[in-house]
Amino acid sequence: MIPLAASFILPFFPIIYKTRAYLRQTQRGCNKGIIKIDLKTTGSSGSSGSSTSVFETRSLSVSSIHVDTSNIASPPKPLLIISPTDEGTYPVLLFLHGFELPNIFYTQILRHISSYGFIVVAPQALPLPLLVRSAAAAVTNWLSSGLESVLPEKVKPGLKKLVVSGHSRGGKAAFALALGYAETSLKISALVGLDPVGGKGKCCQTDPKILTFLPRSFNLTIPVRVIGTGLGGEQRNCIKCPCAPDGVNHVEFYSESKRPCYQFVTSDYGHRDMLDDNPPGFRGVISGYTCKNGNGPRDPTRKYVGGIFVAFLKA
């Protein structure tokens, strides 16, 4: 009998060759996925040559929209919105960036997700990254009144099932938002934490201190997916602390989540390996040197993470 997590993923794996994939039910009641994928072999399918793998960007046209607070729609924070351009109503994903990382550094992976028929809204909390939670709540409350006015013509947001997500400290902020640490006018239907980080260590959580270090203690009944990195908990050198320290990283966020919850880990990649290639500016330069990275290009990580997002959102 296929575990529940497998039912989420396996329908999207028809064209992966030389791939070993297995999922197992954990004793704690959630589903943990361990998937080894050679992404060089994904994409083309059989004789038709068509691509149906969630690890590849679809051909659906999407547009990147930058909305400043001075816009007539008056968003509470600057926004990067990536939206399909074809007429239709599309579900909305709120994505919160990581510590000291501009939202534009995630453009490639967010375009991947959007190409499957999602409107992605990524607020910018810099230069005060510790306020990302309050920024997320303010943007969430703005969506109903302001989002449609900045979207392409004849594109409408489907806000009945809002999904919140985030990377690093933004992942922790997404959990805090779902847990009710800030009031929101929209119902949150699902949660994705991309290598979430709760602080510098167990004794040094950032506010709000949501981790209890007790299994299944999060008061959440919505589906939760946690995507971790294998190298996030390792030091890049003897001077720099790990970007996703043990005890407050994806392992603990998964441990404290209740069913239905799912975990996937990119074992050979680092905390920032899903960012764009060569992001601009000084922050872009240092973003590749502050965390331990995997060997090789970032594209395989983006494909993996993007595919896991899409499979979860489509389920």
Side-chain angles (χ1 to χ4, degrees):
M1 186 172 181
I2 297 175
L4 182 59
S7 69
F8 268 75
I9 293 298
L10 292 182
F12 298 97
F13 279 73
I15 57 173
I16 298 177
Y17 310 107
K18 301 178 182 177
T19 299
R20 291 181 295 161
Y22 60 95
L23 299 140
R24 69 166 179 263
Q25 187 86 12
T26 68
Q27 293 181 348
R28 291 176 179 174
C30 277
N31 300 300
K32 186 171 184 177
I34 304 173
I35 299 182
K36 295 177 181 278
I37 301 168
D38 181 1
L39 286 167
K40 293 180 181 179
T41 62
T42 66
S44 297
S45 175
S47 59
S48 65
S50 62
S51 175
T52 57
S53 169
V54 290
F55 299 113
E56 299 293 339
T57 301
R58 288 184 65 192
S59 59
L60 179 66
S61 175
V62 301
S63 175
S64 297
I65 306 164
H66 298 268
V67 184
D68 194 68
T69 52
S70 61
N71 186 282
I72 192 173
S74 300
K77 290 292 179 180
L79 304 174
L80 168 63
I81 300 173
I82 302 181
S83 168
T85 59
D86 293 350
E87 179 180 355
T89 300
Y90 301 93
V92 176
L93 170 71
L94 182 70
F95 182 88
L96 309 178
H97 63 76
F99 182 72
E100 291 293 336
L101 294 173
N103 53 8
I104 61 171
F105 286 12
Y106 300 88
T107 299
Q108 290 174 271
I109 191 170
L110 299 184
R111 288 182 69 89
H112 178 145
I113 297 169
S114 181
S115 74
Y116 282 83
F118 299 95
I119 297 169
V120 184
V121 179
Q124 182 60 66
L126 289 172
L128 297 173
L130 295 181
L131 298 181
V132 64
R133 171 176 52 92
S134 58
V139 171
T140 300
N141 294 332
W142 168 86
L143 293 175
S144 296
S145 61
L147 179 57
E148 185 173 347
S149 67
V150 297
L151 294 176
E153 187 179 2
K154 296 184 179 180
V155 171
K156 298 182 181 297
L159 295 172
K160 291 184 178 181
K161 294 184 178 181
L162 176 68
V163 179
V164 296
S165 64
H167 169 236
S168 191
R169 297 278 182 90
K172 179 258 182 80
F175 269 86
L177 198 64
L179 286 165
Y181 281 84
E183 291 187 11
T184 59
S185 57
L186 294 176
K187 182 180 179 181
I188 296 172
S189 64
L191 168 64
V192 184
L194 175 54
D195 219 20
V197 177
K200 294 182 178 180
K202 286 187 174 182
C203 61
C204 303
Q205 285 194 70
T206 55
D207 290 326
K209 298 177 175 62
I210 66 173
L211 295 175
T212 65
F213 309 106
L214 297 173
R216 309 298 166 243
S217 57
F218 284 154
N219 186 25
L220 293 172
T221 57
I222 60 175
V224 176
R225 176 152 295 182
V226 179
I227 305 172
T229 60
L231 303 182
E234 298 185 17
Q235 290 179 275
R236 181 177 176 87
N237 51 52
C238 61
I239 300 175
K240 183 70 173 64
C241 295
C243 287
D246 291 340
V248 290
N249 62 15
H250 68 94
V251 177
E252 186 59 32
F253 279 86
Y254 168 70
S255 174
E256 298 191 25
S257 298
K258 296 178 181 179
R259 299 184 75 173
C261 55
Y262 314 87
Q263 182 186 34
F264 295 84
V265 177
T266 59
S267 58
D268 298 328
Y269 295 95
H271 184 65
R272 292 184 170 179
D273 279 336
M274 71 291 298
L275 299 181
D276 290 356
D277 295 322
N278 305 313
F282 177 72
R283 285 194 176 95
V285 173
I286 66 173
S287 68
Y289 295 94
T290 52
C291 304
K292 185 167 184 179
N293 304 318
N295 296 323
R298 289 173 169 175
D299 189 54
T301 318
R302 287 194 299 266
K303 287 183 176 181
Y304 174 89
V305 172
I308 296 299
F309 260 85
V310 171
F312 183 57
L313 296 173
K314 286 285 189 181

